[in-house]
Amino acid sequence: MNIHFTRRNLFQLFAAILIILIAVLMFIIGKQHALLLDNKTVEDSGTTYQAFSIVEVQVNKEPEIELAARDRDRVDVMGQRHRITVTYTDRSFEEHVFEKKFSVPMSYAMVLISIPALVGGADESVWLQEYIPPTAAVAPVSQEPEIVSDELIPTDF
Amino acid sequence: MSKLRETRGQKIIGALEKNAVPILFGIICLIGIPFSGYSLGYLGQEIIVRISRNSFLIIALLVPIMAGMGLNFGMTLGAMAGQIGLIFMVDWGIVGIPGMILAMIISTPISAFLGWMCGKILNMAKGREMVTSYIIGFFINGVYQLIVLYGMGSVIPIKNTSLVLPRGYGIRNTVNLITIRKALDNLLAIRFLGISIPFATLLIIALLCIFIVWFRRTKLGQDMRAVGQDMEVARAAGIRVEHTRIVSVVISTILAGYGMILYLQNMGTLNTYNSHMQIGMFSIAALLVGGASVARASIGNVFLGVSLFHLMFVVSPPAGKRIIGDAQLGEYFRVFVSYGVITIALVLYEIRKRRKAARGGLLLAQDQVDSGEVDA
């Protein structure tokens, strides 16, 4: 069987490949990840990373978050590469700013970032871990969001 | 060909008749605005929001009209494809503009297939395209519901538990689109005279208008116009009539899918089983209010229609409350007007068609009298 590729077929093939590549690119850059910023004492292979009494954390250009010891907060980010800035005060009341760029693996929808371990220089596998919420927390929401429409058809008879 | 001699009164009546629907809506709005109690700034803001929200969908209707296929009630097919794209986008956790683009890419092959199928069927029902496309919309809605209500979560994997019904399969009645809500509208939003203008959305609508103007001048666009004027003459001229008609429906359906995504990013909520059914009626009514007919529509009709129709939408509930004392009557009034305007436009189209034929006869008689072939 002879298959003839005309110029038109080639353009169509090229267009289809281009669209698939754009879709993949959008998937990668548009993927949302939830970052759980955790300020708790962490122990790893005999090393203790003490929680800060108070610390300010900023992810990318999102608003700064203030965390007390044992606090945890959530930031939703888009894409894989991010920058985290941690501002803390040491025991001699001297302010330090710690900045680090990091990547969130594509398959992780939610990650736990341990701020003390991050600032303490622990390995990435210690301060950045996948977080799978407990089943109860992801149980289906009982209340559905309100329908927003122009109400062409009245629904409240 | 000479011009039919008419008195000034006949000319005025002719012009009024030609623009009866926009004039009627203009009068309704002018009466309603003072009673509504809304400021001009508020109304201006509402109109800008609704132009940015609805125009893309309405422009999608222009291509089949160009090809003589009337108002494409089958645009709901594209809307369903757009919604499927959005459901996947939410499930995969893709947000913002990339999420919208991905939803558009997902919707494209679905819209193209549905449009092709619709076009094929419409070719078998020449002359009855509108009612046929309306019924195809109902049929595909059944298929859509089967897929979304039973297929998603069981056959088609859906991981996001907030999307799935408590029974474990099927998509919930409402899908929260907070992750793309106003993503495009807020991209290049500017404030002018206290009114927030979604510049990026309006820019995309402007680009679509330019595309439509350009498209009309292309070979395919000219073919569509020729097919729209007379299918037999077009066929004799070597135009592939059936193919051209199918292409027009495919383009319209794909654009409707994109339009639905733009519409829902503004709304921020997807009403899974109803949004697409409402949108066909909205868009067609708005286009007709703008002075378009079954056979002729322009970009000007789109913007005039969307402004007048949605101004009436905004104004009628509070005006109804002030005038009659019940806002619900205002709600019913706008529903009545929406369906009524479609009916009026269709009736007027038939009347005009008959009048045009009668005018042709009068013109012939006038020419014969002028040339002395017959006595006056």
Side-chain angles (χ1 to χ4, degrees):
Chain A
M1 196 172 78
N2 282 335
I3 298 170
H4 290 286
F5 265 106
T6 60
R7 235 168 92 104
R8 187 190 168 96
N9 294 137
L10 282 173
F11 274 118
Q12 284 170 337
L13 188 69
F14 177 72
I17 291 169
L18 186 71
I19 289 167
I20 291 168
L21 285 176
I22 292 171
V24 172
L25 183 72
M26 291 302 127
F27 191 91
I28 293 166
I29 64 169
K31 179 82 178 168
Q32 190 180 45
H33 301 276
L35 306 183
L36 298 176
L37 306 169
D38 196 44
N39 185 22
K40 286 179 190 165
T41 303
V42 179
E43 279 200 13
D44 176 58
S45 27
T47 315
T48 305
Y49 301 100
Q50 199 67 39
F52 295 99
S53 55
I54 198 96
V55 64
E56 281 180 0
V57 187
Q58 188 184 27
V59 180
N60 302 329
K61 286 176 183 172
E62 298 288 323
E64 277 189 356
I65 295 170
E66 200 174 71
L67 299 170
R70 296 183 59 77
D71 267 1
R72 181 184 285 180
D73 214 327
R74 176 183 167 142
V75 179
D76 288 324
V77 291
M78 190 172 90
Q80 268 69 63
R81 302 245 344 128
H82 305 287
R83 195 182 70 237
I84 187 165
T85 310
V86 182
T87 311
Y88 63 96
T89 312
D90 62 14
R91 287 201 174 91
S92 54
F93 300 104
E94 202 172 317
E95 194 177 90
H96 297 272
V97 178
F98 176 89
E99 200 175 287
K100 192 169 178 70
K101 285 182 179 170
F102 66 100
S103 293
V104 180
M106 189 73 189
S107 56
Y108 292 2
M110 199 179 266
V111 291
L112 188 69
I113 295 177
S114 168
I115 304 298
L118 169 73
V119 177
D123 188 67
E124 191 175 293
S125 61
V126 177
W127 60 264
L128 191 143
Q129 290 171 347
E130 186 183 13
Y131 182 80
I132 298 162
T135 317
V138 292
V141 279
S142 56
Q143 218 174 10
E144 296 211 350
E146 194 189 337
I147 297 171
V148 181
S149 76
D150 277 327
E151 289 171 32
L152 183 65
I153 301 156
T155 47
D156 50 347
F157 289 108
Chain B
M1 199 176 179
S2 58
K3 218 174 165 185
L4 183 67
R5 282 190 290 275
E6 287 176 312
T7 62
R8 188 173 287 178
Q10 281 172 325
K11 278 182 189 168
I12 291 169
I13 288 169
L16 283 175
E17 193 188 275
K18 202 175 171 186
N19 300 299
V21 181
I23 291 169
L24 183 70
F25 262 74
I27 292 167
I28 292 171
C29 291
L30 282 175
I31 294 169
I33 288 170
F35 283 108
S36 72
Y38 288 140
S39 68
L40 285 178
Y42 175 81
L43 289 174
Q45 179 68 73
E46 281 295 312
I47 294 302
I48 290 288
V49 167
R50 283 155 193 268
I51 285 176
S52 69
R53 187 193 289 166
N54 293 282
S55 298
F56 201 107
L57 278 161
I58 305 170
I59 293 169
L61 291 166
L62 296 183
V63 182
I65 294 176
M66 206 194 301
M69 299 179 80
L71 300 159
N72 182 21
F73 283 90
M75 72 180 293
T76 50
L77 276 60
M80 285 180 232
Q83 289 178 188
I84 289 173
L86 286 173
I87 290 170
F88 281 118
M89 181 212 78
V90 173
D91 182 42
W92 296 338
I94 315 299
V95 299
I97 303 284
M100 283 177 65
I101 296 172
L102 186 65
M104 285 177 181
I105 292 173
I106 296 166
S107 81
T108 306
I110 305 170
S111 297
F113 171 72
L114 292 174
W116 170 81
M117 193 200 70
C118 184
K120 280 266 183 196
I121 298 169
L122 295 186
N123 274 342
M124 294 175 206
K126 289 191 189 98
R128 300 181 298 279
E129 285 93 350
M130 283 194 287
V131 68
T132 311
S133 61
Y134 194 61
I135 299 302
I136 292 171
F138 281 116
F139 166 61
I140 297 297
N141 184 38
V143 178
Y144 169 84
Q145 292 204 8
L146 183 73
I147 293 169
V148 176
L149 200 53
Y150 293 100
M152 287 191 171
S154 54
V155 182
I156 303 161
I158 299 287
K159 281 193 221 160
N160 192 335
T161 46
S162 66
L163 274 179
V164 183
L165 288 164
R167 66 183 182 197
Y169 61 91
I171 302 297
R172 283 173 181 274
N173 193 29
T174 48
V175 174
N176 198 344
L177 298 177
I178 192 79
T179 53
I180 61 156
R181 186 164 191 264
K182 299 204 169 180
L184 187 65
D185 290 349
N186 291 340
L187 185 64
L188 295 169
I190 49 170
R191 284 197 83 80
F192 179 71
L193 297 173
I195 295 172
S196 173
I197 299 169
F199 187 71
T201 315
L202 294 179
L203 186 69
I204 286 178
I205 292 164
L207 288 174
L208 180 65
C209 292
I210 292 167
F211 167 77
I212 295 287
V213 171
W214 167 81
F215 182 75
R216 276 187 180 151
R217 292 173 187 174
T218 60
K219 164 84 172 67
L220 187 59
Q222 297 284 357
D223 286 356
M224 279 184 194
R225 287 164 74 175
V227 170
Q229 277 167 11
D230 195 315
M231 272 190 274
E232 290 315 312
V233 173
R235 188 173 282 116
I239 295 168
R240 293 158 67 198
V241 173
E242 277 71 23
H243 173 78
T244 309
R245 283 163 57 93
I246 291 172
V247 170
S248 78
V249 179
V250 169
I251 293 173
S252 172
T253 314
I254 292 174
L255 290 179
Y258 297 164
M260 192 65 186
I261 292 166
L262 286 185
Y263 174 86
L264 290 171
Q265 69 87 32
N266 179 280
M267 286 291 198
T269 313
L270 162 64
N271 184 0
T272 315
Y273 303 102
N274 281 326
S275 285
H276 54 280
M277 294 309 284
Q278 293 180 13
I279 211 67
M281 205 60 75
F282 265 142
S283 306
I284 287 165
L287 186 63
L288 293 172
V289 167
S293 74
V294 175
R296 205 172 55 86
S298 67
I299 291 167
N301 297 138
V302 173
F303 291 104
L304 179 63
V306 77
S307 306
L308 285 175
F309 187 66
H310 286 280
L311 187 60
M312 193 272 296
F313 252 54
V314 176
V315 159
S316 61
K321 195 177 178 183
R322 288 269 176 93
I323 297 167
I324 312 159
D326 187 359
Q328 193 65 33
L329 272 173
E331 293 273 340
Y332 285 113
F333 175 72
R334 65 186 195 177
V335 175
F336 155 75
V337 170
S338 307
Y339 289 104
V341 74
I342 295 175
T343 314
I344 290 172
L346 294 176
V347 171
L348 281 179
Y349 173 68
E350 276 304 313
I351 293 171
R352 265 186 228 144
K353 211 161 80 175
R354 285 180 193 182
R355 286 243 172 101
K356 204 176 168 186
R359 275 169 68 93
L362 284 173
L363 196 60
L364 184 66
Q366 180 185 288
D367 283 347
Q368 284 174 336
V369 169
D370 290 348
S371 62
E373 286 175 31
V374 290
D375 296 329

